[in-house]
Amino acid sequence: MNANEILNNFKEEFKVQSGCEISSYLGSNNIIKVKGKINCILYIKVAANESKKAFWGIRANKLNELKNEKLPGIVILLLNKSSFGYIVKLHTIDKLISNYTWTEAQGDYKVNGIYGIEDGNFSSLNQLLIKLENTI
């Protein structure tokens, strides 16, 4: 399954299981506004490879836009499927950037692996929903 298929599956499954309304946001297919039981903005990135060392490119301008939003923003890093990944809060991202765990190149933060991500992982969509409810 490629990254676009994983992203689309995630959004469909998230909408059904959460019962929330979702819509594309901030001019990006990777960012959704969630309204309902959970109210937030999710920036979803997918690493679709079989390697244990994942890679994600996070747009610096999109992170800045998330920080200016009234709703809480959370980055979701999916690894190879729509039901497994990592939750990264914006304050954690700031910390990872400031200590150079995430490095910037040409407007992207290059995220190699999951080092320093302490906000949690999930292995099912239900587990993600519970963590989001407890986080937001």
Side-chain angles (χ1 to χ4, degrees), residues 78-93:
L78 297 175
L79 183 58
N80 296 323
K81 55 186 166 182
S82 60
S83 61
F84 181 81
Y86 303 89
I87 300 166
V88 191
K89 299 175 190 173
L90 294 181
H91 71 274
T92 300
I93 291 170

Side-chain angles (χ1 to χ4, degrees), residues 51-124:
S51 168
K52 290 185 180 189
K53 187 170 183 180
F55 172 81
W56 296 273
I58 308 292
R59 303 288 308 165
N61 65 331
K62 294 301 179 188
L63 284 178
N64 289 334
E65 289 180 50
L66 279 180
K67 290 176 187 177
N68 292 324
E69 291 294 319
K70 291 181 182 174
L71 288 174
I74 297 186
V75 175
I76 302 293
L77 302 175
L78 297 175
L79 183 58
N80 296 323
K81 55 186 166 182
S82 60
S83 61
F84 181 81
Y86 303 89
I87 300 166
V88 191
K89 299 175 190 173
L90 294 181
H91 71 274
T92 300
I93 291 170
D94 288 339
K95 186 172 105 178
L96 292 169
I97 291 168
S98 70
N99 69 18
Y100 302 104
T101 302
W102 289 14
T103 56
E104 185 178 10
Q106 300 175 339
D108 278 350
Y109 289 101
K110 308 302 181 190
V111 182
N112 292 302
I114 58 166
Y115 312 107
I117 298 174
E118 57 197 34
D119 299 324
N121 67 329
F122 57 93
S123 56
S124 71

Side-chain angles (χ1 to χ4, degrees), residues 15-30:
K15 182 177 180 178
V16 169
Q17 288 191 32
S18 70
C20 295
E21 292 179 34
I22 65 166
S23 57
S24 291
Y25 197 63
L26 298 175
S28 174
N29 192 38
N30 292 82

